[in-house]
Amino acid sequence: MISNLSHGSTCLDVVPIVGMPGPGKTTLARKIYNDPKIPRQFFSCVWIFIRQSCVKGDILLNILKGFTKRTEEFHDKNEAEIAEEIRDHVAIGGKCLIVLDDAWDSDVVDFVKTVFLENNRGHRIMMTTQHVDIARPVNIDPHNLKFLNQEKSFRLLENRAFGVSRCPVELVEHGEAIVEKYNGVPLTIVVIAGALRGSTSKIDWKVVKQNVGKHLIEEDKLQRYLNVVGLSYNHLPDDRKVCFLYFGAFPQGFDIPSWKLICLWIAQGIIMSNLPGSTIEDIAKCYFNYFANRNLVIVTEKRSNSKIKICHMHDMIY
């Protein structure tokens, strides 16, 4: 897909990623967007989360932010004026990449295309969507994400639960039974792996295996996923449940800076611990890493020292 974005036609092209909830559309798009090859190929890169109720003016302002930090003066401008400003930047700049995450309407894609002049620079729009009927009109050959087979599902569970280590032999049977019930949906597998992370207790794995079925009997796929998150949430220590719920204070698709969330936790007085030798900030950072390690949040950017800089919540929680 990186090759499709970087090379190929010099005309504006749309590259859709299509799949049901859970296969990892946004994860794949993020991995491509953050690939070191992308900044070398594109003069400007912009990521936009598209809500069902997204206003076109807001989309344009987000695109404009990819070209200039001086966007305040355009907040009172109409769509035509903002679009014209974007076209001016595009005309003097290089190749652009726009990511439309979770598109619900092909009209949004057509609308975004209007801000790019056909100047043979190879601009690209990458979009994620659940609906093939939205992707096909803009590209007859979208990238369809498929669910994992049994072997790959188990390897994903093993990797997320034990890292570079292998799953203990006595837990393999339980692990295979767990992933079999998830029908190859990566998102549910990584969330449940987070609840089991580092555990070598046969009792823990057996309890999860026995409860998985109860959480997957819902016909509604979204409710199944929420049930799995609930199972993982119930495994959290009581002092961390309130902290996790605070992620909901941020809107869907919002990139959450770790420092900002930690400051909010401390300011609200919800970090409760008397660990000797540790500051409240140290404990808050520990909690934040705890949620990331258990796949309850998605890490989207790290600092040069490998510490988490930006994360966001799984879209289906909202």
Side-chain angles (χ1 to χ4, degrees):
M1 287 197 67
I2 293 178
S3 177
N4 290 340
L5 290 172
S6 303
H7 308 293
S9 173
T10 57
C11 297
L12 173 64
D13 198 10
V14 181
V15 181
I17 302 173
V18 184
M20 296 172 62
K25 300 182 295 297
T26 298
T27 300
L28 175 59
R30 280 282 184 187
K31 187 172 183 179
I32 295 170
Y33 185 80
N34 292 326
D35 190 283
K37 300 186 189 71
I38 294 299
R40 295 197 293 266
Q41 295 291 333
F42 293 93
F43 172 75
S44 182
C45 300
V46 183
W47 182 287
I48 305 171
F49 177 77
I50 306 295
R51 295 181 295 274
Q52 293 188 53
S53 59
C54 206
V55 178
K56 290 182 178 179
D58 293 339
I59 295 174
L60 289 175
L61 283 172
N62 281 322
I63 294 175
L64 185 58
K65 289 176 183 177
F67 297 97
T68 176
K69 294 181 179 179
R70 299 176 60 185
T71 59
E72 293 82 3
E73 60 190 279
F74 293 94
H75 285 188
D76 296 326
K77 303 287 186 179
N78 60 40
E79 293 175 7
E81 291 173 312
I82 302 173
E84 187 59 34
E85 181 69 16
I86 294 172
R87 292 190 192 102
D88 290 342
H89 284 284
V90 171
I92 62 176
K95 187 163 62 171
C96 302
L97 170 64
I98 306 295
V99 180
L100 304 177
D101 186 26
D102 201 19
W104 286 80
D105 191 337
S106 58
D107 288 345
V108 172
V109 184
D110 294 334
F111 169 71
V112 172
K113 289 170 70 174
T114 63
V115 303
F116 293 97
L117 300 174
E118 288 297 341
N119 54 12
N120 295 321
R121 292 189 178 175
H123 301 305
R124 295 290 184 266
I125 297 174
M126 180 167 61
M127 59 178 285
T128 69
T129 181
Q130 298 181 28
H131 309 286
V132 69
D133 58 335
I134 292 176
R136 285 271 167 79
V138 295
N139 190 317
I140 60 172
D141 188 25
H143 182 80
N144 287 286
L145 280 186
K146 296 179 173 59
F147 294 116
L148 304 178
N149 60 28
Q150 178 75 6
E151 180 182 355
K152 290 182 178 179
S153 294
F154 179 77
R155 294 306 170 205
L156 178 60
L157 177 72
E158 180 181 52
N159 176 263
R160 292 304 183 98
F162 297 106
V164 295
S165 302
R166 300 299 300 270
C167 178
V169 176
E170 64 272 17
L171 300 179
V172 170
E173 181 181 350
H174 295 307
E176 290 178 342
I178 290 171
V179 298
E180 184 177 5
K181 296 179 181 179
Y182 281 129
N183 299 316
V185 181
L187 186 52
T188 52
I189 293 172
V190 299
V191 170
I192 206 65
L196 292 168
R197 187 176 178 88
S199 173
T200 57
S201 167
K202 290 182 67 174
I203 295 176
D204 289 346
W205 284 69
K206 186 176 180 180
V207 167
V208 170
K209 181 182 73 172
Q210 291 173 340
N211 283 275
V212 162
K214 299 176 184 177
H215 294 282
L216 297 180
I217 58 175
E218 294 280 351
E219 292 185 7
D220 184 87
K221 292 182 175 63
L222 174 59
Q223 189 58 49
R224 290 186 201 174
Y225 172 72
L226 292 177
N227 288 343
V228 172
V229 173
L231 179 62
S232 190
Y233 171 78
N234 290 333
H235 274 73
L236 293 175
D238 290 339
D239 59 344
R240 302 183 192 189
K241 287 181 178 178
V242 176
C243 292
F244 177 70
L245 292 175
Y246 205 89
F247 281 96
F250 295 89
Q252 185 179 11
F254 188 86
D255 282 339
I256 305 171
S258 59
W259 67 268
K260 186 172 186 177
L261 181 64
I262 288 171
C263 288
L264 288 171
W265 281 344
I266 295 173
Q268 294 294 325
I270 59 177
I271 302 295
M272 307 296 292
S273 182
N274 297 315
L275 292 176
S278 297
T279 65
I280 292 294
E281 185 176 352
D282 291 335
I283 297 166
K285 289 178 179 178
C286 178
Y287 283 13
F288 187 90
N289 290 328
Y290 182 92
F291 297 133
N293 290 336
R294 277 149 185 78
N295 306 309
L296 287 169
V297 298
I298 301 172
V299 176
T300 56
E301 187 177 344
K302 289 188 176 183
R303 304 182 189 278
S304 57
N305 59 5
S306 295
K307 292 184 178 180
I308 300 170
K309 181 179 180 180
I310 302 289
C311 76
H312 70 260
M313 292 296 291
H314 298 289
D315 292 337
M316 286 192 291
I317 288 181
Y318 288 87

